[in-house]
Amino acid sequence: MRPSARATAEVMAQVLRTTASLAFTDGLNPAQWAALRYFAQANASARNVVAFARHHGTTKGTASQTIAALLKKDLLERHPSETDRRSIRLTLTVRGQTMLANDPLNELVAAIDGLAPAQHGALASGLDELLRTLLSRRTESGGRDSGALDASGDTDRNGAAAD
């Protein structure tokens, strides 16, 4: 018997809460972990505040707060652009790279890795379709944000997560 959409959504919400709670570790919150992951993987031209904000669907101000916290913790460093002195490129410090070795997301990665290949494939394609649907609905509704919370439970005046 197929589970109800409500039951599946509730399990998914529990997985997300559990994963988010794991991300309050090593003095970082989930938004900061997400930023470390982003800057570790982004190509050089996308290692800036605006690209990070766009990728994570947040405001430039909120992204700046997250980045400022990581700079203060010596996990990111600024580099002036070689082509445009007004631009700053952000990179992980050695300490930031070391932190990522203990990324709490690895717990979820291990759980997914333990799935049978068919289950993993079905989960991946199902989540991809869910994300596309949610993003499409968000776009259709004018990008309205209902006050998304960050790991600290704070929102900014635009409903974007505050650091």
Side-chain angles (χ1 to χ4, degrees), residues 5 53 63 86 97 100 126 157:
R86 296 171 296 168
Q97 293 169 1
L100 272 180
R157 66 175 181 244

PDB file of all heavy atoms in Angstrom, residues 5 53 63 86 97 100 126 157:
ATOM      1  N   ALA A   5       0.608  11.067   1.060  1.00  0.00           N
ATOM      2  CA  ALA A   5       1.537  12.162   0.804  1.00  0.00           C
ATOM      3  C   ALA A   5       1.857  12.892   2.107  1.00  0.00           C
ATOM      4  O   ALA A   5       2.991  13.314   2.340  1.00  0.00           O
ATOM      5  CB  ALA A   5       0.951  13.122  -0.231  1.00  0.00           C
ATOM      6  N   ALA A  53      24.467  34.092  -2.436  1.00  0.00           N
ATOM      7  CA  ALA A  53      23.086  34.457  -2.084  1.00  0.00           C
ATOM      8  C   ALA A  53      22.106  33.898  -3.115  1.00  0.00           C
ATOM      9  O   ALA A  53      21.063  33.336  -2.756  1.00  0.00           O
ATOM     10  CB  ALA A  53      22.950  35.973  -1.973  1.00  0.00           C
ATOM     11  N   ALA A  63      23.404  36.683   3.250  1.00  0.00           N
ATOM     12  CA  ALA A  63      24.616  35.994   2.808  1.00  0.00           C
ATOM     13  C   ALA A  63      25.851  36.681   3.376  1.00  0.00           C
ATOM     14  O   ALA A  63      26.785  36.014   3.834  1.00  0.00           O
ATOM     15  CB  ALA A  63      24.671  35.963   1.279  1.00  0.00           C
ATOM     16  N   ARG A  86      37.256  45.919  -7.533  1.00  0.00           N
ATOM     17  CA  ARG A  86      36.060  46.110  -6.712  1.00  0.00           C
ATOM     18  C   ARG A  86      35.472  44.780  -6.259  1.00  0.00           C
ATOM     19  O   ARG A  86      34.704  44.722  -5.314  1.00  0.00           O
ATOM     20  CB  ARG A  86      34.991  46.889  -7.480  1.00  0.00           C
ATOM     21  CG  ARG A  86      35.423  48.301  -7.836  1.00  0.00           C
ATOM     22  CD  ARG A  86      34.424  48.914  -8.772  1.00  0.00           C
ATOM     23  NE  ARG A  86      34.415  48.143 -10.026  1.00  0.00           N
ATOM     24  CZ  ARG A  86      33.531  48.246 -10.984  1.00  0.00           C
ATOM     25  NH1 ARG A  86      32.526  49.078 -10.863  1.00  0.00           N
ATOM     26  NH2 ARG A  86      33.611  47.527 -12.077  1.00  0.00           N
ATOM     27  N   GLN A  97      38.896  24.097   5.300  1.00  0.00           N
ATOM     28  CA  GLN A  97      38.981  22.806   4.616  1.00  0.00           C
ATOM     29  C   GLN A  97      39.009  21.660   5.620  1.00  0.00           C
ATOM     30  O   GLN A  97      38.373  20.625   5.422  1.00  0.00           O
ATOM     31  CB  GLN A  97      40.215  22.760   3.722  1.00  0.00           C
ATOM     32  CG  GLN A  97      40.146  23.710   2.558  1.00  0.00           C
ATOM     33  CD  GLN A  97      41.476  23.857   1.835  1.00  0.00           C
ATOM     34  OE1 GLN A  97      42.475  23.229   2.180  1.00  0.00           O
ATOM     35  NE2 GLN A  97      41.501  24.712   0.834  1.00  0.00           N
ATOM     36  N   LEU A 100      35.542  20.973   6.991  1.00  0.00           N
ATOM     37  CA  LEU A 100      34.676  20.223   6.079  1.00  0.00           C
ATOM     38  C   LEU A 100      34.922  18.718   6.134  1.00  0.00           C
ATOM     39  O   LEU A 100      34.038  17.940   5.790  1.00  0.00           O
ATOM     40  CB  LEU A 100      34.846  20.729   4.643  1.00  0.00           C
ATOM     41  CG  LEU A 100      33.943  21.881   4.263  1.00  0.00           C
ATOM     42  CD1 LEU A 100      34.193  22.312   2.830  1.00  0.00           C
ATOM     43  CD2 LEU A 100      32.483  21.556   4.465  1.00  0.00           C
ATOM     44  N   GLY A 126      13.178  11.201  -7.118  1.00  0.00           N
ATOM     45  CA  GLY A 126      11.999  11.747  -6.458  1.00  0.00           C
ATOM     46  C   GLY A 126      12.282  13.097  -5.816  1.00  0.00           C
ATOM     47  O   GLY A 126      11.485  14.033  -5.940  1.00  0.00           O
ATOM     48  N   ARG A 157      13.897  40.847   7.823  1.00  0.00           N
ATOM     49  CA  ARG A 157      12.605  41.454   7.512  1.00  0.00           C
ATOM     50  C   ARG A 157      12.018  40.970   6.197  1.00  0.00           C
ATOM     51  O   ARG A 157      10.848  41.146   5.939  1.00  0.00           O
ATOM     52  CB  ARG A 157      12.729  42.977   7.530  1.00  0.00           C
ATOM     53  CG  ARG A 157      13.609  43.503   6.442  1.00  0.00           C
ATOM     54  CD  ARG A 157      13.605  45.028   6.426  1.00  0.00           C
ATOM     55  NE  ARG A 157      14.454  45.451   5.346  1.00  0.00           N
ATOM     56  CZ  ARG A 157      15.557  46.124   5.490  1.00  0.00           C
ATOM     57  NH1 ARG A 157      15.946  46.509   6.664  1.00  0.00           N
ATOM     58  NH2 ARG A 157      16.281  46.461   4.451  1.00  0.00           N
TER      59      ARG A 157
END
